[in-house]
Amino acid sequence: MIRIQARTEPSSIMKVASPLIAIVLTLIFGCILFSALNKNPFEALHVLLIAPLSDMYNIGEMLVKMSPLLFCAVGLSLCYRANMWNIGAEGQLLAGALGGSAVALLFIDSTSVFALPLTLIAGIISGMLWSAVPTYLKLRFNSNLILTTIMFNYIALYLLIWAVNGPLRDPDGYGFPESAMFSDSTTLPILLEGSRIHLGVLFAVISAFVGWFILSKTHLGFQIRVFGADEPAAKYAGFSGKKLSWFVMLFSGALAGFAGVCEVTGPIGQLVPNVSPGYGYSAIIVAYLGRLHPLGAIVAAIFLAVLYMGGDLAQIQMGIPVAVVGMFQGVLLFFLLACDFFIRNRLTFNNQVTN
């Protein structure tokens, strides 16, 4: 008889092996899925996972897609380590894009050196403010943070759609729902000539190291880890749960807002309705795949970015629906959570038969 038994201590082997097992199981699922779609599974996996790294241009595009995933995942990692279940990175990203765009449009005819910094700061503050409301509702009224942050995602989306169809729409844009193109003074510089790798990519990597330093090398990070692992013990030690909750949520909102404003001032160059294809949601998978560690999120963000790139290539070259990428992400998260279950539990086999 197969039974599930709790481990006396979490398995250090499973902590490392869980993401790898989840990826292998996801690839097996992918082979079955592509076979069901009458596609060569090995060719499809090659297009999905190998082709995006085939040349320097594709690698550059992968890094561009990695940037918002990494920004959001770093902030979410701190939130989840503190047991603050923020599902609102998508809305905070959109809020950052909207707030930053509103400021960028004020500098259309300006060459001021302050234009870009003010635009980026506006995006960061917008993301922070968007995360502040559900945080206040959680701490003041004990509302469900998961539900409120999800609802704020949709509010941010429709607020952005209203803005590009209303006050921020380009008057010379022939009625299309988009803002005017930003000026050079509010556009992130390109780091590598001939590619779209912009300064935001570097900022994203720096944010991962900042998150690692806070979490691993500061007293504040120690408080976050203790609070997430054992809240009663943290309160007994005198740690303020409210202050820690405010910090991780505002930090997460700031990074998500940074991601949003870097998207509109970087590869897009204007405010459009489809700023994000779901980066904020995918960042949840990145955070867990990176074991809620800011530096681990770098590797996980690269993997998810490759999936995004591969999904576009698979749609073009093999006619595979782009929704397959979303399915891959969902299945990956499912297998990851299933494998994580065995970090604290194990299967035991009992041959005794009881009457």
Side-chain angles (χ1 to χ4, degrees):
M1 181 179 179
I2 301 176
R3 298 177 60 186
I4 295 174
Q5 183 180 11
R7 298 180 188 269
T8 55
E9 292 182 0
S11 171
S12 55
I13 295 177
M14 279 303 299
K15 283 182 180 179
V16 177
S18 177
L20 302 178
I21 296 172
I23 290 174
V24 171
L25 291 174
T26 303
L27 295 179
I28 294 172
F29 169 83
C31 290
I32 297 172
L33 174 64
F34 292 131
S35 297
L37 293 173
N38 294 321
K39 306 291 183 181
N40 186 321
F42 299 105
E43 181 185 355
L45 289 177
H46 181 272
V47 172
L48 198 65
L49 300 174
I50 306 300
L53 304 175
S54 59
D55 56 52
M56 289 305 299
Y57 179 80
N58 281 336
I59 291 175
E61 289 297 295
M62 180 272 294
L63 292 175
V64 169
K65 290 184 180 296
M66 178 207 72
S67 172
L69 290 170
L70 183 56
F71 268 127
C72 295
V74 171
L76 292 179
S77 295
L78 267 67
C79 283
Y80 298 158
R81 293 291 288 268
N83 275 340
M84 291 293 287
W85 301 107
N86 176 17
I87 313 296
E90 180 75 4
Q92 293 148 24
L93 182 152
L94 297 177
L98 179 56
S101 297
V103 172
L105 292 173
L106 299 176
F107 293 96
I108 286 290
D109 299 317
S110 173
T111 57
S112 171
V113 295
F114 298 106
L116 181 58
L118 288 175
T119 299
L120 297 178
I121 291 171
I124 293 170
I125 293 175
S126 298
M128 292 177 68
L129 292 176
W130 207 252
S131 68
V133 180
T135 306
Y136 174 77
L137 294 175
K138 165 68 175 175
L139 298 178
R140 180 67 178 84
F141 302 105
N142 196 30
S143 63
N144 188 305
L145 187 63
I146 295 175
L147 293 179
T148 53
T149 49
I150 288 176
M151 288 189 292
F152 266 70
N153 289 342
Y154 292 101
I155 295 172
L157 173 61
Y158 288 108
L159 187 62
L160 186 150
I161 291 174
W162 166 79
V164 294
N165 282 280
L168 299 186
R169 185 170 65 181
D170 183 6
D172 300 322
Y174 303 100
F176 288 102
E178 57 189 23
S179 75
M181 296 295 296
F182 298 159
S183 66
D184 291 341
S185 63
T186 54
T187 302
L188 288 170
I190 297 297
L191 297 181
L192 188 62
E193 195 66 33
S195 72
R196 295 202 305 162
I197 303 175
H198 54 83
L199 189 59
V201 176
L202 179 60
F203 286 149
V205 176
I206 292 173
S207 75
F209 282 92
V210 170
W212 164 77
F213 181 81
I214 292 173
L215 200 59
S216 304
K217 302 297 181 180
T218 67
H219 183 60
L220 176 61
F222 173 73
Q223 293 182 54
I224 291 171
R225 298 198 310 271
V226 173
F227 184 75
D230 193 338
E231 185 174 343
K235 290 181 177 178
Y236 183 79
F239 301 160
S240 173
K242 286 189 176 181
K243 289 182 180 179
L244 293 174
S245 298
W246 272 112
F247 173 78
V248 295
M249 286 296 293
L250 292 179
F251 183 77
S252 180
L255 289 185
F258 204 172
V261 71
C262 284
E263 283 298 288
V264 293
T265 58
I268 301 176
Q270 63 181 152
L271 183 65
V272 294
N274 55 338
V275 170
S276 168
Y279 290 134
Y281 296 114
S282 299
I284 299 173
I285 303 174
V286 173
Y288 272 100
L289 198 60
R291 315 316 295 150
L292 301 184
H293 192 291
L295 296 185
I298 297 176
V299 179
I302 290 174
F303 180 73
L304 263 292
V306 168
L307 274 184
Y308 269 114
M309 282 286 297
D312 293 339
L313 293 175
Q315 185 182 23
I316 295 170
Q317 297 181 16
M318 300 185 67
I320 294 174
V322 71
V324 169
V325 176
M327 182 179 294
F328 254 82
Q329 293 177 0
V331 170
L332 177 59
L333 181 60
F334 170 79
F335 283 131
L336 183 60
L337 294 176
C339 293
D340 279 355
F341 175 79
F342 293 100
I343 294 176
R344 296 182 177 274
N345 301 275
R346 63 182 176 184
L347 294 177
T348 59
F349 300 88
N350 188 353
N351 294 325
Q352 261 187 326
V353 179
T354 58
N355 294 323

